[in-house]
mmCIF file with all atom_site columns, all heavy atoms in Angstrom:
data_model
loop_
_atom_site.group_PDB
_atom_site.id
_atom_site.type_symbol
_atom_site.label_atom_id
_atom_site.label_alt_id
_atom_site.label_comp_id
_atom_site.label_asym_id
_atom_site.label_entity_id
_atom_site.label_seq_id
_atom_site.pdbx_PDB_ins_code
_atom_site.Cartn_x
_atom_site.Cartn_y
_atom_site.Cartn_z
_atom_site.occupancy
_atom_site.B_iso_or_equiv
_atom_site.pdbx_formal_charge
_atom_site.auth_seq_id
_atom_site.auth_comp_id
_atom_site.auth_asym_id
_atom_site.auth_atom_id
_atom_site.pdbx_PDB_model_num
ATOM 1  N N   . LYS A 1 11  ? 7.066   -13.582 -22.672 1.00 91.00 ? 13  LYS A N   1
ATOM 2  C CA  . LYS A 1 11  ? 6.096   -12.533 -22.389 1.00 91.00 ? 13  LYS A CA  1
ATOM 3  C C   . LYS A 1 11  ? 5.008   -13.014 -21.442 1.00 91.00 ? 13  LYS A C   1
ATOM 4  O O   . LYS A 1 11  ? 4.418   -12.213 -20.700 1.00 91.00 ? 13  LYS A O   1
ATOM 5  C CB  . LYS A 1 11  ? 5.472   -12.005 -23.675 1.00 91.00 ? 13  LYS A CB  1
ATOM 6  C CG  . LYS A 1 11  ? 4.622   -13.025 -24.444 1.00 91.00 ? 13  LYS A CG  1
ATOM 7  C CD  . LYS A 1 11  ? 4.081   -12.419 -25.720 1.00 91.00 ? 13  LYS A CD  1
ATOM 8  C CE  . LYS A 1 11  ? 3.194   -13.410 -26.493 1.00 91.00 ? 13  LYS A CE  1
ATOM 9  N NZ  . LYS A 1 11  ? 2.670   -12.809 -27.747 1.00 91.00 ? 13  LYS A NZ  1
ATOM 10 N N   . MET A 1 21  ? 2.297   -8.463  -9.273  1.00 94.00 ? 23  MET A N   1
ATOM 11 C CA  . MET A 1 21  ? 2.745   -7.190  -8.719  1.00 94.00 ? 23  MET A CA  1
ATOM 12 C C   . MET A 1 21  ? 1.562   -6.297  -8.371  1.00 94.00 ? 23  MET A C   1
ATOM 13 O O   . MET A 1 21  ? 1.484   -5.727  -7.275  1.00 94.00 ? 23  MET A O   1
ATOM 14 C CB  . MET A 1 21  ? 3.669   -6.478  -9.712  1.00 94.00 ? 23  MET A CB  1
ATOM 15 C CG  . MET A 1 21  ? 4.132   -5.097  -9.258  1.00 94.00 ? 23  MET A CG  1
ATOM 16 S SD  . MET A 1 21  ? 5.311   -4.355  -10.388 1.00 94.00 ? 23  MET A SD  1
ATOM 17 C CE  . MET A 1 21  ? 4.350   -4.235  -11.897 1.00 94.00 ? 23  MET A CE  1
ATOM 18 N N   . PHE A 1 24  ? -0.656  -8.047  -5.386  1.00 93.00 ? 26  PHE A N   1
ATOM 19 C CA  . PHE A 1 24  ? -0.139  -7.980  -4.027  1.00 93.00 ? 26  PHE A CA  1
ATOM 20 C C   . PHE A 1 24  ? 0.294   -6.566  -3.622  1.00 93.00 ? 26  PHE A C   1
ATOM 21 O O   . PHE A 1 24  ? -0.097  -6.068  -2.560  1.00 93.00 ? 26  PHE A O   1
ATOM 22 C CB  . PHE A 1 24  ? 1.044   -8.944  -3.857  1.00 93.00 ? 26  PHE A CB  1
ATOM 23 C CG  . PHE A 1 24  ? 0.637   -10.384 -3.776  1.00 93.00 ? 26  PHE A CG  1
ATOM 24 C CD1 . PHE A 1 24  ? 0.830   -11.230 -4.858  1.00 93.00 ? 26  PHE A CD1 1
ATOM 25 C CD2 . PHE A 1 24  ? 0.055   -10.897 -2.632  1.00 93.00 ? 26  PHE A CD2 1
ATOM 26 C CE1 . PHE A 1 24  ? 0.451   -12.562 -4.799  1.00 93.00 ? 26  PHE A CE1 1
ATOM 27 C CE2 . PHE A 1 24  ? -0.336  -12.223 -2.558  1.00 93.00 ? 26  PHE A CE2 1
ATOM 28 C CZ  . PHE A 1 24  ? -0.135  -13.063 -3.635  1.00 93.00 ? 26  PHE A CZ  1
ATOM 29 N N   . GLY A 1 45  ? -5.766  7.930   18.984  1.00 91.00 ? 47  GLY A N   1
ATOM 30 C CA  . GLY A 1 45  ? -6.419  9.118   19.519  1.00 91.00 ? 47  GLY A CA  1
ATOM 31 C C   . GLY A 1 45  ? -6.263  10.344  18.642  1.00 91.00 ? 47  GLY A C   1
ATOM 32 O O   . GLY A 1 45  ? -6.399  11.476  19.127  1.00 91.00 ? 47  GLY A O   1
ATOM 33 N N   . LEU A 1 107 ? 5.009   11.124  7.764   1.00 94.00 ? 109 LEU A N   1
ATOM 34 C CA  . LEU A 1 107 ? 6.250   10.759  7.066   1.00 94.00 ? 109 LEU A CA  1
ATOM 35 C C   . LEU A 1 107 ? 6.130   9.373   6.431   1.00 94.00 ? 109 LEU A C   1
ATOM 36 O O   . LEU A 1 107 ? 6.567   9.163   5.295   1.00 94.00 ? 109 LEU A O   1
ATOM 37 C CB  . LEU A 1 107 ? 7.423   10.790  8.049   1.00 94.00 ? 109 LEU A CB  1
ATOM 38 C CG  . LEU A 1 107 ? 8.799   10.401  7.473   1.00 94.00 ? 109 LEU A CG  1
ATOM 39 C CD1 . LEU A 1 107 ? 9.180   11.325  6.320   1.00 94.00 ? 109 LEU A CD1 1
ATOM 40 C CD2 . LEU A 1 107 ? 9.860   10.443  8.569   1.00 94.00 ? 109 LEU A CD2 1
ATOM 41 N N   . ALA A 1 152 ? -9.950  -7.135  -2.639  1.00 90.00 ? 154 ALA A N   1
ATOM 42 C CA  . ALA A 1 152 ? -11.061 -7.953  -2.135  1.00 90.00 ? 154 ALA A CA  1
ATOM 43 C C   . ALA A 1 152 ? -10.553 -9.035  -1.190  1.00 90.00 ? 154 ALA A C   1
ATOM 44 O O   . ALA A 1 152 ? -11.149 -9.298  -0.138  1.00 90.00 ? 154 ALA A O   1
ATOM 45 C CB  . ALA A 1 152 ? -11.812 -8.585  -3.302  1.00 90.00 ? 154 ALA A CB  1
ATOM 46 N N   . ASP A 1 199 ? 15.135  -9.138  -28.476 1.00 64.00 ? 201 ASP A N   1
ATOM 47 C CA  . ASP A 1 199 ? 15.159  -8.594  -29.832 1.00 64.00 ? 201 ASP A CA  1
ATOM 48 C C   . ASP A 1 199 ? 14.325  -7.330  -29.959 1.00 64.00 ? 201 ASP A C   1
ATOM 49 O O   . ASP A 1 199 ? 14.066  -6.850  -31.057 1.00 64.00 ? 201 ASP A O   1
ATOM 50 C CB  . ASP A 1 199 ? 14.654  -9.623  -30.838 1.00 64.00 ? 201 ASP A CB  1
ATOM 51 C CG  . ASP A 1 199 ? 13.242  -10.113 -30.485 1.00 64.00 ? 201 ASP A CG  1
ATOM 52 O OD1 . ASP A 1 199 ? 12.780  -9.821  -29.367 1.00 64.00 ? 201 ASP A OD1 1
ATOM 53 O OD2 . ASP A 1 199 ? 12.625  -10.787 -31.331 1.00 64.00 ? 201 ASP A OD2 1
ATOM 54 N N   . ALA A 1 235 ? -14.156 18.145  -15.401 1.00 84.00 ? 237 ALA A N   1
ATOM 55 C CA  . ALA A 1 235 ? -15.209 17.251  -14.897 1.00 84.00 ? 237 ALA A CA  1
ATOM 56 C C   . ALA A 1 235 ? -14.622 15.958  -14.352 1.00 84.00 ? 237 ALA A C   1
ATOM 57 O O   . ALA A 1 235 ? -15.037 15.455  -13.298 1.00 84.00 ? 237 ALA A O   1
ATOM 58 C CB  . ALA A 1 235 ? -16.213 16.955  -16.012 1.00 84.00 ? 237 ALA A CB  1
ATOM 59 N N   . VAL A 1 246 ? -15.113 9.751   -0.845  1.00 64.00 ? 248 VAL A N   1
ATOM 60 C CA  . VAL A 1 246 ? -16.040 8.725   -0.350  1.00 64.00 ? 248 VAL A CA  1
ATOM 61 C C   . VAL A 1 246 ? -15.309 7.409   -0.133  1.00 64.00 ? 248 VAL A C   1
ATOM 62 O O   . VAL A 1 246 ? -15.476 6.748   0.907   1.00 64.00 ? 248 VAL A O   1
ATOM 63 C CB  . VAL A 1 246 ? -17.207 8.535   -1.350  1.00 64.00 ? 248 VAL A CB  1
ATOM 64 C CG1 . VAL A 1 246 ? -18.092 7.377   -0.912  1.00 64.00 ? 248 VAL A CG1 1
ATOM 65 C CG2 . VAL A 1 246 ? -18.019 9.810   -1.462  1.00 64.00 ? 248 VAL A CG2 1
ATOM 66 N N   . ALA A 1 261 ? -17.335 -6.258  11.796  1.00 80.00 ? 263 ALA A N   1
ATOM 67 C CA  . ALA A 1 261 ? -16.138 -6.363  10.970  1.00 80.00 ? 263 ALA A CA  1
ATOM 68 C C   . ALA A 1 261 ? -16.410 -7.217  9.734   1.00 80.00 ? 263 ALA A C   1
ATOM 69 O O   . ALA A 1 261 ? -15.938 -6.908  8.636   1.00 80.00 ? 263 ALA A O   1
ATOM 70 C CB  . ALA A 1 261 ? -14.991 -6.962  11.788  1.00 80.00 ? 263 ALA A CB  1
ATOM 71 N N   . THR A 1 272 ? -14.458 -3.596  -4.293  1.00 82.00 ? 274 THR A N   1
ATOM 72 C CA  . THR A 1 272 ? -13.223 -3.775  -5.052  1.00 82.00 ? 274 THR A CA  1
ATOM 73 C C   . THR A 1 272 ? -13.389 -4.777  -6.200  1.00 82.00 ? 274 THR A C   1
ATOM 74 O O   . THR A 1 272 ? -12.740 -4.657  -7.244  1.00 82.00 ? 274 THR A O   1
ATOM 75 C CB  . THR A 1 272 ? -12.090 -4.219  -4.141  1.00 82.00 ? 274 THR A CB  1
ATOM 76 O OG1 . THR A 1 272 ? -12.499 -5.364  -3.363  1.00 82.00 ? 274 THR A OG1 1
ATOM 77 C CG2 . THR A 1 272 ? -11.700 -3.111  -3.178  1.00 82.00 ? 274 THR A CG2 1
ATOM 78 N N   . LEU A 1 275 ? -14.767 -2.914  -8.992  1.00 73.00 ? 277 LEU A N   1
ATOM 79 C CA  . LEU A 1 275 ? -13.688 -2.170  -9.620  1.00 73.00 ? 277 LEU A CA  1
ATOM 80 C C   . LEU A 1 275 ? -12.904 -3.056  -10.581 1.00 73.00 ? 277 LEU A C   1
ATOM 81 O O   . LEU A 1 275 ? -12.579 -2.651  -11.708 1.00 73.00 ? 277 LEU A O   1
ATOM 82 C CB  . LEU A 1 275 ? -12.744 -1.607  -8.539  1.00 73.00 ? 277 LEU A CB  1
ATOM 83 C CG  . LEU A 1 275 ? -11.468 -0.934  -9.007  1.00 73.00 ? 277 LEU A CG  1
ATOM 84 C CD1 . LEU A 1 275 ? -11.791 0.333   -9.785  1.00 73.00 ? 277 LEU A CD1 1
ATOM 85 C CD2 . LEU A 1 275 ? -10.562 -0.606  -7.826  1.00 73.00 ? 277 LEU A CD2 1
#
Side-chain angles (χ1 to χ4, degrees):
K13 65 182 181 180
M23 177 175 61
F26 285 105
L109 179 59
D201 57 348
V248 174
T274 52
L277 173 66

